[in-house]
Structures are given as C-alpha cells and as structure tokens.
C-alpha cells in the first residue's frame, strides 16, 4: 500500500531540502535584478562573467535538472529512483557554433516501468549509464544574407533538434517527461539519439519550416562516431511544415520522412526504446523507413495577456514493421500556460499516446514474452517558483509491452535550476 508517509520516506533528502528552501521564494513580474529571487539565473551575472562572455560572442547556459520518480504499482517492479542531469550549453559567434554537453548522474526507473515507453526521456542522454559526454556540436553557416537558409554539420542532438522545431516539447525538462508523449517514436530506428551528419535548414520568421539531413545510422552520444562513420550505410531525413491560421490563431502541419540504407534487425537497440531480446537473433533486413505527420494548433489566447494560451500537439507515424519495434504511433496533448491568472509563467499539460508494436516483433516470442501495444496517459504541472527555479509534479499511467505486467503508475517530481 502506497501512503504519503512511505512516498516521502523514499524521496531523497537533498531533493526535499531543495524544494522546501526554494518554494518559499515568491515570484514577481517586475523587480530589481539584484534580488536573488528576481534573477533570470541563480548566479545572476556571475560576477560579470556572463556579460563579459556575451560581449565576446559567447552565450553560456548551465542548468541542473533533478528527477525523482516512483513506480508506485505495476510495471516490471515497484521502485523509486533519484537522478539528474547537468546540461552545459554554449553558443559561439551568434550561433555559428553550438555545443551541448551533458552529465548524467543517479538512477532512473525507465526499465522498471515500461521500456518501450521511456518514462524519462531526458535521462536517455547520454545513456542509461552515468557519464559526461558531448551530445551535440554543430557548425551553422548562413547561406543567404537574411539567414533563411542555413547549412549545418557536426553532431546532432535529436532532442535539441526537435525542440528547435517544436519548442513546446520542452526536451523532457520543461513539459512532458515520457518520450512517447511528445516524440513520434516511429523514428526510433532511423533517427538515433545523437548522430553525425550534415544538412540544410529553411527558416521562416525565426521558425524552422523545413530541412534535409544526410547522416550516419549509429547512435553516438558518448563517442565521436568517426571510427564507424557510414559503415552501415547512410540515413536521410526530410521535414516540411505548412504554417496556417485557424480563427486568427497560429498552427502548422508538418511532414517528416526518414530512410536508412543499412542492415538492421527488429531487436537492434535504438536508444529510444528497450525491449528485451530473450536470446533470440532475428535475421537482418536491408533498409528501413518512417513517415510522420505532426499537427500543432493554438486553441486559445488571452487577447490582453499573450502569455496565457492553450495549444494542441498531435503526432501520427508509420514505420517499417520488419526493422522497427514500432509499426505505428499516435499521440495527442493539450498544453497551457498561465491558466491561473496570477501564475502566468506556470505551464501544465495532459497527453495520451498509443504505440502499436510491430507484428514481426510480437511474433518472435509469443509464449516466452507475450507482447502487446503500449499506451498511456501523462499529466504534469510546472510551477515557476522563481525565474530560475521550476518545480514539476508529474503523473503517468502506462500499460507496458509485456502483457503479463500490470499497468505502471509512475509518480514524479522534477526540479530545474538555471545557473
């Protein structure tokens, strides 16, 4: 039986103290920047270091995200875990070079809840082992004077790339935590977590409208990737969005396709999902593909306060059932900001996802490991305690792929500090 006392006993003391100390700080809309609780960053100007770097064309951001999640019932096993991530983001020469390094520490409950629907997308990077790695390093060269066309090459971080296209997804540190709630996981086989590649992006008034990438098929968040570059073929991904308006509110329709020329099996680890192989080695297939449609639409906006709004994001995808663990997926989510009039910076969301596992995958071991489609719901509330500290309460109910397991109830707390 899960009680309030048992949950509090299992939450790490450091996380509790951080929440208690920072929760007493009351946010305000306008105040002198010298006050600690009104800064955009905990360290402010960092004794002139931040502004000094900016004058030299270097923007440095460091933030710490702590996670506590508890598989309260169901899943593979009931377990709680505390872990976190330090993100180091550096932008040089107004975006000419962008570097993203990450330090992962602690534990997670990804495999304890539902491996085919990772309940903490952010802790997938750089991997399930604790380490520090450069997961993104891009050079961006403008091809036109207005910078509407950009040539990018280097190491791509997929969460960063997707967040650049759809900022409301939050990279797992601001919005939903479950990867299935805000990503089309049909790209799991053809788009790794981190990869080497190059391509062209088309910008439209500061938003990504389209792009074409050619890249390596290997997942390389903790390695340079050059040793095995293109030794399993090449991948291609293309995106195009049509920007629209509905009753004066902005939206878009996005179409994403990807193709890989290498040799794959349906049980190859993708980095996005974790399905046990049970000692079975299926035959390799040549090539893989995926197709996705992504709808975003703002549903409501306060005409007097632009930060108060509600929007919908929905994704539908198909993938090669012979090489991808997912044959098709769909998800739909509602996200809102500032619904409480006196809390304009707070955000909240509710989402549903359904991941149809490949029939070829289900047929591999129907008796030893009976598999079924994965579905779930997620709710979160992200409270702005100060401009530099956000505290999120998260609830997930996930029906795991293993049909012998009960639905996993996952409770979560997330604290993010911008240094």
């Amino acid at each position: 039986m899960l009680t309030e006392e048992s949950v509090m006993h299992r939450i790490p003391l450091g996380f509790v103290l951080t929440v208690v100390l920072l929760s007493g700080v009351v946010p305000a809309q306008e105040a002198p920047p010298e006050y600690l609780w009104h800064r955009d960053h905990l360290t402010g100007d960092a004794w002139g270091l931040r502004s000094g770097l900016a004058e030299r064309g270097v923007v440095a951001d460091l933030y710490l995200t702590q996670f506590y999640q508890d598989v309260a019932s169901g899943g593979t096993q009931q377990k709680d875990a505390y872990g976190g991530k330090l993100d180091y983001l550096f932008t040089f020469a107004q975006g000419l070079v962008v570097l993203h390094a990450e330090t992962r520490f602690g534990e997670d409950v990804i495999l304890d809840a539902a491996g085919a629907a990772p309940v903490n997308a952010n802790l997938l990077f750089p991997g399930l082992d604790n380490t520090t790695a450069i997961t993104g390093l891009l050079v961006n060269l403008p091809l036109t004077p207005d910078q509407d066309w950009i040539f990018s090459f280097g190491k791509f971080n997929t969460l960063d790339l997707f967040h650049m296209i759809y900022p409301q997804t939050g990279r797992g540190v601001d919005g939903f935590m479950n990867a299935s709630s805000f990503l089309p996981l049909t790209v799991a086989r053809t788009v790794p977590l981190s990869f080497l590649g190059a391509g062209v992006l088309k910008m439209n008034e500061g938003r990504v409208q389209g792009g074409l990438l050619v890249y390596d098929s290997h997942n390389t968040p903790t390695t340079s990737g050059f040793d095995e570059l293109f030794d399993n073929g090449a991948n291609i991904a293309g995106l195009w969005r049509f920007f629209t308006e509905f009753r004066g509110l902005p939206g878009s329709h996005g179409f994403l396709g990807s193709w890989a020329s290498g040799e794959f099996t349906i049980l190859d680890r993708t980095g996005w999902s974790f399905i046990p192989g049970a000692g079975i080695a299926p035959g390799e297939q040549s090539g893989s593909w995926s197709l996705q449609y992504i709808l975003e639409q703002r549903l409501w906006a306060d005409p007097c306060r632009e930060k108060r709004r509600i929007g919908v994001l929905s994704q539908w995808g198909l993938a090669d059932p012979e090489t991808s663990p997912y044959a098709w997926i769909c998800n739909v989510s509602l996200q809102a900001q500032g619904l409480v009039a006196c809390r304009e910076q707070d955000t909240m969301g509710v989402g549903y996802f359904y991941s149809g596992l490949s029939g070829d995958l289900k047929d591999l071991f129907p008796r030893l490991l009976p598999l079924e489609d994965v579905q779930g719901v997620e709710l979160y509330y992200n409270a702005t305690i100060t401009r530099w500290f956000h505290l999120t309460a998260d609830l997930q109910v996930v029906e795991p792929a293993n049909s012998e397991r009960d639905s996993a109830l996952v409770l979560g707390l997330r604290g993010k500090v911008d240094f």
Side-chain angles (χ1 to χ4, degrees), residues 184-187 254-258 290-294 316-319 329:
L185 288 185
T186 35
V187 302
F255 298 89
L256 169 65
S258 57
S290 74
L291 295 171
Q292 287 74 216
Y293 164 70
I294 303 174
W316 299 75
L318 297 172
I329 66 93

Side-chain angles (χ1 to χ4, degrees), residues 86-289:
L86 271 167
D87 286 89
Y88 321 85
L89 294 167
F90 295 91
T91 302
F92 303 91
Q94 297 182 340
L96 178 64
V97 178
V98 179
L99 182 148
H100 187 180
E102 305 181 49
T103 297
R104 186 193 191 278
F105 61 89
E107 299 180 337
D108 63 82
V109 296
I110 293 173
L111 298 180
D112 303 290
V119 295
N120 194 322
N122 194 260
L123 288 186
L124 294 174
F125 283 84
L128 295 187
D129 296 327
N130 294 331
T131 187
T132 297
I134 295 175
T135 59
L137 178 57
L138 289 179
V139 177
N140 302 301
L141 303 175
L143 299 178
T144 57
D146 56 8
Q147 300 189 9
D148 279 355
W149 290 91
I150 298 173
F151 176 70
S152 296
F153 66 92
K155 176 182 277 193
F156 288 81
N157 180 311
T158 302
L159 279 187
D160 290 347
L161 183 61
F162 201 73
H163 179 253
M164 182 173 65
I165 302 171
Y166 297 100
Q168 65 268 47
T169 55
R171 295 188 62 256
V173 296
D174 291 313
F176 294 102
M177 292 190 194
N178 195 306
S180 303
S181 296
F182 66 93
L183 292 170
L185 288 185
T186 35
V187 302
R189 173 64 63 232
T190 53
V191 183
L193 292 172
S194 180
F195 57 86
L196 293 178
V200 177
L201 295 177
K202 170 67 169 67
M203 309 299 292
N204 185 335
E205 297 181 355
R207 295 184 292 176
V208 177
Q209 182 170 22
L212 181 67
L213 296 177
V214 178
Y215 54 96
D216 182 52
S217 63
H218 294 96
N219 184 36
T220 59
T222 58
T223 63
S224 69
F226 289 106
D227 292 342
E228 50 189 7
L229 185 63
F230 295 121
D231 66 3
N232 190 35
N235 294 15
I236 299 175
L239 166 75
W240 193 261
R241 283 204 290 175
F242 299 94
F243 295 112
T244 58
E245 284 193 2
F246 177 71
R247 295 185 177 179
L249 297 173
S252 72
H253 301 270
F255 298 89
L256 169 65
S258 57
W259 176 78
S261 65
E263 299 288 330
F264 306 97
T265 76
I266 203 167
L267 291 179
D268 288 338
R269 281 292 180 94
T270 66
W272 294 109
S273 65
F274 302 89
I275 298 175
I280 296 177
E284 289 188 337
Q285 301 290 331
S286 179
S288 187
W289 56 268

Side-chain angles (χ1 to χ4, degrees), residues 17 92 133 138 199 210 297 322 403:
L17 290 176
F92 303 91
L138 289 179
Q297 178 62 51
E322 296 182 346
S403 60

